[in-house]
Amino acid sequence: MTAPPKIRALRHVGLRTTALEESVAFYSGPWGLELVERSDDAAYLRAAGPEHHVLQLHAADHNALDHIAFALPTPEEVDAAAAWAAAEGAQIIEPPGPITRPGGGYGFRFTDPENRVLEISAYVNAVAERPQDVPVPRKVAHCVLNTTDIDALTAWYTRVLGLRVSDWSEHQMVFLRAVGDHHVIAFNQAEWAAPNHVAYEVANLDAWLRSIGRLKVAGHETAWGPGRHGPGDNAFAYYVDPAGLVPEMTAEVMQIDDDTWMPRVWPRVPELSDLFRTAGPPSPHIRSHMGGTPDPGWA
């Protein structure tokens, strides 16, 4: 392989949670996902789209990222991606082969420079899509991660995974894309590595507002939002889940044409951080949850 893989999409995110039962009730209830498989210490939840699941929850004694899964079209491309990652010095912790976990498929796992577990897979199990005209998430849109070295991690993810820089928010955040969506991963410069938040996309602004309403009726107020980001142009509403992790309900993520797009650096000023000017700055409460606690990664 003479070039990095061309990741097609973010497939799912796995989180370790200190409140498994309460989190399953939250995400399968007012958040709008559907529980598809369950064990004593793990749960798998799907959105309305074709992915078997978009969220895994694993019982743990501290909140953390379990792994992030990306999609490629074929097992041959997965094999090539594994060879590329190994040649770039990545630690392969599961070589390419059939996946026996829920959702199946063919894939491999490896770690990034901050010891996060990444998975690249193809040929996962199909599921019938749910109705798209209801206000529930249709996919996982992106995952934002706190990092101690934003430049080194950006270089690694673009070189090893083939992701591309869409925009910067000064030198505080960087947004990386696969195909189409403005970003599937973003990094936030911080004191330690930890998950910042996971975003789930609904079909349109109407579905987004109805989702906010459903959560409000169920007793869940926004922790930041509603608003619209400058980078990515997506509508946002952030919440804090029962374990203290942060999910985002989003809509209308900007679509990128690779042939014409030019990355920009966005000043971190109110009129660009929230184009609606409805949300105000993030509160100390949501900032503390986005900051998380130090995540040592794969053991």
Side-chain angles (χ1 to χ4, degrees):
M1 191 173 186
T2 58
K6 190 166 186 179
I7 299 296
R8 298 305 196 272
L10 179 62
R11 175 154 273 152
H12 67 255
V13 175
L15 297 173
R16 299 175 190 168
T17 174
T18 58
L20 178 62
E21 299 304 328
E22 297 86 349
S23 295
V24 170
F26 171 77
Y27 286 105
S28 65
W31 196 254
L33 301 180
E34 178 184 343
L35 183 65
V36 288
E37 295 203 38
R38 181 65 207 270
S39 67
D40 289 342
D41 59 358
Y44 302 78
L45 299 106
R46 64 164 299 187
E51 288 291 340
H52 178 271
H53 60 275
V54 298
L55 175 63
Q56 293 183 20
L57 295 171
H58 299 269
D61 58 7
H62 65 282
N63 292 334
L65 181 72
D66 186 80
H67 69 282
I68 301 173
F70 299 95
L72 281 177
T74 66
E76 291 76 17
E77 290 181 70
V78 169
D79 288 339
W84 177 269
E88 289 290 331
Q91 181 182 12
I92 308 297
I93 58 175
E94 289 184 12
I99 298 172
T100 58
R101 293 177 289 270
Y106 182 92
F108 73 103
R109 287 188 171 187
F110 58 115
T111 57
D112 80 0
E114 290 183 319
N115 215 28
R116 298 177 186 87
V117 175
L118 307 178
E119 177 181 293
I120 296 179
S121 61
Y123 283 17
V124 300
N125 293 343
V127 292
E129 294 191 37
R130 298 166 65 192
Q132 299 288 312
D133 58 350
V134 291
V136 298
R138 62 189 185 95
K139 68 176 186 177
V140 60
H142 59 261
C143 181
V144 176
L145 303 168
N146 297 322
T147 176
T148 61
D149 192 337
I150 194 170
D151 294 314
L153 220 57
T154 299
W156 191 89
Y157 273 74
T158 54
R159 187 178 73 250
V160 178
L161 271 72
L163 301 179
R164 294 166 306 286
V165 172
S166 293
D167 281 315
W168 287 83
S169 177
E170 296 186 358
H171 196 238
Q172 180 63 41
M173 292 188 69
V174 62
F175 303 87
L176 305 180
R177 70 183 182 276
V179 176
D181 286 356
H182 178 270
H183 58 288
V184 293
I185 291 287
F187 296 113
N188 175 63
Q189 182 68 39
E191 294 183 52
W192 51 70
N196 184 288
H197 71 270
V198 179
Y200 305 80
E201 187 179 21
V202 294
N204 50 47
L205 279 183
D206 181 78
W208 176 70
L209 287 168
R210 289 177 184 272
S211 296
I212 293 171
R214 180 181 66 246
L215 284 152
K216 183 179 180 68
V217 168
H220 300 281
E221 298 286 348
T222 57
W224 184 34
R228 184 185 281 278
H229 287 309
D233 197 37
N234 54 304
F236 69 84
Y238 293 85
Y239 295 81
V240 177
D241 78 8
L245 293 163
V246 178
E248 175 192 359
M249 194 70 75
T250 192
E252 296 192 346
V253 177
M254 177 186 288
Q255 298 300 294
I256 299 296
D257 178 358
D258 280 343
D259 292 334
T260 59
W261 184 254
M262 299 288 285
R264 294 168 288 182
V265 178
W266 292 74
R268 295 173 70 84
V269 296
E271 62 269 25
L272 297 179
S273 297
D274 173 17
L275 303 179
F276 284 165
R277 302 301 299 273
T278 53
S283 68
H285 170 71
I286 190 64
R287 284 189 184 277
S288 68
H289 285 283
M290 286 178 167
T293 56
D295 182 356
W298 181 71

